[in-house]
Amino acid sequence: MSGRREAFPLRPWVERAWRGDAGVLAALLLGPLAAVYRVGSALSRFRAARARRPMPGMTVIAIGGLTVGGAGKTTLARWAARAALDAGRRPAILLRGHGSAAAGRAPQVVPIDAPSNPGAARRYGDETLAHRAALPASVLVVTGKDRRKAARLALESGADLAILDDGWEQETLAWDFLWVVIDPLRPFGNGRLLPAGPLRRPPGNLRQATVIVEIAEAKGEESAGANMLLEVASRALPRVRFSRRVEGWSRSGGSGDAVGAPTPPVGPRLLISSVGSPERLERFLTGAGAAHDDHVAFPDHAAWDHLLVARRAAALAAKTGLPPVLVVTDKDAGRAALLPAVGLEVWVVRTGLAPLDDVSPLLAGLRNRASGTAVAARPPIG
């Protein structure tokens, strides 16, 4: 049973507006702001396009999204890194480290043991730690606001392929390939730009992409993206569909030691998240047979209110008569490690991607330009 989310004063109203459920008031208040955003963002994109410069010796794949929220860019970046390793490339994932100290510092290579260090999420960022924990040591993870400087550091550290997690908006590093990720159920939200809708860019910007990637969160969604507006906006572009899957669960007990498990936890589940699209996360977990009983949804990248989590856990325990288990994504594993959840288990769900289509349009981005050789025909699934 899916439970209620935590209410934050403005976000639910804005989200309802994005779904078209908030009525005339939303259109009156948010419409003029969207017009201002349209002009400002267009100028920003124009300046960024003129400022980006290539990095000789490095193939660059940028992964971006049309809308705000979690369309699956981070999971696709990990799939690309594993496919690159299969192809004999030396990949590095480059990301800003949003919301962390790393975002304002010079680029740095994230150490292998970073996920096990207390406070690492504040230092490097939640998505950074999720990458570092999920990928082998042969994949570099580099943080830094200036992606070109980060690419230079990755190149000097032995990488020959840069994968930019959320790299469409950055304004320093030119890319060779652009993969744009969309939600097959709501590729454009309500079709409006921020803040009247979730669009960062007009749908016509899809024509800048090399490949359109659709990531389904549950069975049946994989065929939902073929709507007329998407067909027009992405005309003649290759499209590759994936479905998200559970790769495993890990449980952290009182000792902090992780214990792997193939199935979701038994008992009432309190989902805690700080992701861009809580609704997509709920769709995925429900489809994976791990529906939650309650959901505390903090804003994307936000710090957690531990007292609030404790209150909601106590309320769920009183309602069900059983101690709840706390469920988090791998992105939030670093924050979950700081929870003073005495007597409560914390479970981390780790996810990957399974391709539903021929992935050769994506494999073209992993070709070794220096030698002209193509990658192996079969990428890893994950």
Side-chain angles (χ1 to χ4, degrees):
M1 175 180 67
S2 178
R4 64 187 178 89
R5 304 178 198 168
E6 179 60 26
F8 290 87
L10 288 178
R11 194 180 71 180
W13 181 76
V14 172
E15 288 180 346
R16 288 197 303 273
W18 290 357
R19 295 192 301 267
D21 300 335
V24 177
L25 181 61
L28 291 175
L29 293 179
L30 300 178
L33 296 177
V36 174
Y37 174 84
R38 177 183 294 272
V39 175
S41 62
L43 289 174
S44 178
R45 291 193 299 272
F46 176 76
R47 288 194 298 266
R50 292 174 61 90
R52 294 188 193 103
R53 295 291 182 269
M55 176 59 60
M58 180 78 80
T59 303
V60 179
I61 299 173
I63 299 177
L66 273 180
T67 62
V68 298
K73 296 184 293 292
T74 295
T75 315
L76 182 62
R78 289 204 288 271
W79 179 91
R82 291 167 179 162
L85 286 178
D86 249 19
R89 302 299 298 269
R90 301 186 302 276
I93 291 184
L94 277 51
L95 66 170
R96 181 178 179 179
H98 185 82
S100 70
R105 294 178 179 171
Q108 55 187 316
V109 176
V110 180
I112 301 300
D113 62 351
S116 63
N117 294 333
R122 289 192 293 267
R123 182 175 180 182
Y124 298 110
D126 46 17
E127 289 165 344
T128 305
L129 293 186
H131 282 312
R132 187 63 282 162
L135 292 168
S138 52
V139 178
L140 295 177
V141 178
V142 183
T143 60
K145 180 179 179 180
D146 189 319
R147 303 295 179 91
R148 195 168 188 279
K149 290 181 178 178
R152 169 73 64 186
L153 176 59
L155 184 65
E156 293 171 349
S157 301
D160 64 4
L161 173 71
I163 301 165
L164 277 56
D165 185 348
D166 202 8
W168 200 359
E169 307 297 326
Q170 57 83 33
E171 54 190 32
T172 57
L173 181 62
W175 54 76
D176 301 288
F177 303 91
L178 173 62
W179 301 353
V180 177
V181 187
I182 62 170
D183 181 341
L185 283 189
R186 301 179 65 85
F188 308 132
N190 61 1
R192 297 177 181 175
L193 292 171
L194 289 167
L199 284 172
R200 290 176 169 181
R201 297 164 167 263
N205 278 196
L206 271 180
R207 297 189 183 96
Q208 298 176 19
T210 309
V211 185
I212 306 298
V213 177
E214 302 175 37
I215 297 179
E217 302 292 350
K219 186 175 181 180
E221 293 182 10
E222 61 269 15
S223 61
N227 60 65
M228 185 178 299
L229 185 58
L230 178 59
E231 293 286 355
V232 171
S234 62
R235 183 169 31 199
L237 288 172
R239 287 162 56 183
V240 178
R241 298 172 304 154
F242 287 86
S243 63
R244 194 185 303 275
R245 67 174 191 175
V246 174
E247 291 189 331
W249 296 82
S250 60
R251 175 176 56 83
S252 296
S255 65
D257 296 329
V259 179
T263 58
V266 176
R269 300 175 187 133
L270 175 59
L271 177 62
I272 311 169
S273 70
S274 49
V275 298
S277 180
E279 184 267 343
R280 281 182 65 102
L281 176 59
E282 292 178 358
R283 276 162 38 198
F284 167 68
L285 289 175
T286 299
H292 57 284
D293 298 275
D294 196 5
H295 186 182
V296 183
F298 294 102
D300 196 16
H301 302 289
W304 289 0
D305 182 340
H306 293 182
L307 292 178
L308 173 61
V309 172
R311 288 199 301 270
R312 293 287 282 275
L316 185 55
K319 178 181 178 181
T320 63
L322 296 170
V325 293
L326 310 183
V327 175
V328 302
T329 67
D330 50 3
K331 173 183 174 181
D332 287 323
R335 290 189 179 88
L338 300 176
L339 280 174
V342 179
L344 295 179
E345 295 179 348
V346 177
W347 286 75
V348 180
V349 56
R350 305 194 182 279
T351 66
L353 298 178
L356 300 170
D357 296 320
D358 176 13
V359 295
S360 57
L362 299 175
L363 296 183
L366 305 178
R367 184 173 293 114
N368 190 320
R369 293 182 301 171
S371 65
T373 58
V375 301
R378 184 186 62 82
I381 296 175

